[in-house]
Amino acid sequence: MAIYTCHDMIRDCRAGNHAGWSYLVTYYLPVLRTLLHQYYAGRAGDEQLIERVLLKLKSPQLPLYAANPSTEREWVCLLRQELLRIVELDKASDAASIPIDLETLTQALEPFTIIDRQFIWLETMGYKAESTALMMNLDTSSVTRARERAEEALRQHMDHWRRGLLLENGLALSLLAETSRGANCLPARAYLDTIDGRITWSHKKDYEFHLRQCWHCVDAFCRIREVDFALRGVKPLAEAEARPYHKLLGVPEPKKGLLQALFAR
Ligand SMILES: [Zn+2]
């Protein structure tokens, strides 16, 4: 029997088939929980919020089911964006006390390398130095040093400044970056090849040149890193854990096989 994959799920969700919603709960609810903890630590334990998110995700017309991603990681990036959109519509996060825009970042961080830029962007996404170092396979002290230098550079470039503005502006910066896509922006394949070590020297140079001047691509790259990291640590839900959510989404209980029925209590 052919293995059911993320691509089959996307097709089934688009068609509104139960198999798609069932797989979404079993395989991606754990990822959604991980991301909720990351972005909404105070709300991640709210079981009703999780149910509202799942019910909103059960909409065949959502763009994430129209996508044709080349890998699961690309699709989970879309799922992540949809999750943040749903949670923000449910109850919007507070705006930053002092806003930062991409121009200010570009000016303040002009001399920073593309590795430093990712360290800093992952700070806007709320990743502590230790997790960032694990995600990028580099050492924690390099992350901390780059972030300290960024704080100082911002302090010098801004009329009003206080420590921690990068994290406070995370959501706003991510929205600004998402909408700033340009004609020369890199395809998702570029980030995946870089993470997976399949990149050629000439491509590497081209990508680095672009990443030095484009926050849209730094953001997209960091989101792929985030998803790659999140998928490493999660396990699918056991049937008993998934059952209440399947019921919530109207997925019928699977028919028990003869042996299962014999041994069922
Ligand atoms: Zn770009």
Side-chain angles (χ1 to χ4, degrees):
M1 197 176 80
I3 295 169
Y4 191 92
T5 66
C6 177
H7 287 95
D8 299 315
M9 178 200 71
I10 297 168
R11 186 202 58 221
D12 275 337
C13 288
R14 188 162 56 229
N17 293 337
H18 294 313
W21 311 125
S22 168
Y23 192 93
L24 179 76
V25 165
T26 302
Y27 287 87
Y28 298 112
L29 178 54
V31 181
L32 292 168
R33 284 192 193 280
T34 302
L35 293 170
L36 272 177
H37 272 286
Q38 177 63 28
Y39 292 100
Y40 302 95
R43 300 173 70 188
D46 179 350
E47 196 48 39
Q48 288 175 344
L49 172 65
I50 289 163
E51 290 183 6
R52 289 198 296 278
V53 166
L54 285 176
L55 287 169
K56 293 271 187 209
L57 284 174
K58 193 195 169 190
S59 308
Q61 67 280 11
L62 286 177
L64 77 163
Y65 306 124
N68 187 20
S70 59
T71 66
E72 179 192 32
R73 287 174 289 181
E74 268 182 76
W75 185 77
V76 178
C77 276
L78 299 176
L79 178 66
R80 182 254 198 207
Q81 293 305 85
E82 195 60 49
L83 171 70
L84 297 197
R85 196 185 66 78
I86 292 171
V87 178
E88 285 299 315
L89 281 174
D90 193 82
K91 181 170 163 294
S93 302
D94 295 337
S97 56
I98 305 174
I100 303 180
D101 54 25
L102 294 178
E103 289 70 31
T104 307
L105 267 196
T106 301
Q107 286 167 14
L109 306 183
E110 205 281 321
F112 284 62
T113 67
I114 58 153
I115 294 289
D116 287 344
R117 283 161 196 253
Q118 290 172 74
F119 289 159
I120 291 156
W121 199 263
L122 285 163
E123 182 175 10
T124 73
M125 292 163 69
Y127 287 98
K128 301 219 179 313
E130 292 76 16
S131 328
T132 302
L134 278 176
M135 215 179 272
M136 294 188 59
N137 215 7
L138 292 163
D139 63 297
T140 309
S141 58
S142 312
V143 181
T144 310
R145 267 200 308 277
R147 289 180 176 180
E148 286 294 328
R149 282 171 45 232
E151 286 281 7
E152 181 54 27
L154 281 171
R155 192 178 68 78
Q156 287 180 11
H157 273 81
M158 295 177 73
D159 297 332
H160 303 285
W161 172 89
R162 66 188 181 85
R163 193 165 276 280
L165 281 181
L166 284 168
L167 176 58
E168 224 184 273
N169 277 274
L171 190 69
L173 284 171
S174 142
L175 290 174
L176 288 172
E178 193 179 17
T179 50
S180 69
R181 185 180 170 84
N184 296 326
C185 281
L186 305 175
R189 172 60 48 201
Y191 318 122
L192 290 165
D193 284 352
T194 306
I195 291 178
D196 297 340
R198 285 191 305 255
I199 190 175
T200 62
W201 181 246
S202 71
H203 273 141
K204 187 170 188 286
K205 276 180 31 186
D206 290 346
Y207 296 165
E208 287 181 357
F209 181 76
H210 182 78
L211 281 160
R212 278 285 307 248
Q213 38 200 317
C214 180
W215 291 111
H216 172 85
C217 285
V218 171
D219 175 56
F221 198 177
C222 288
R223 283 195 273 121
I224 287 273
R225 287 197 187 277
E226 168 182 55
V227 162
D228 185 68
F229 189 66
L231 285 172
R232 277 187 243 163
V234 295
K235 290 193 173 62
L237 289 185
E239 198 183 322
E241 289 174 284
R243 188 61 219 138
Y245 302 106
H246 285 160
K247 204 168 160 193
L248 175 78
L249 299 188
V251 176
E253 256 184 89
K255 291 194 179 67
K256 285 193 166 71
L258 183 60
L259 274 178
Q260 276 177 298
L262 280 174
F263 290 107
R265 284 193 289 167

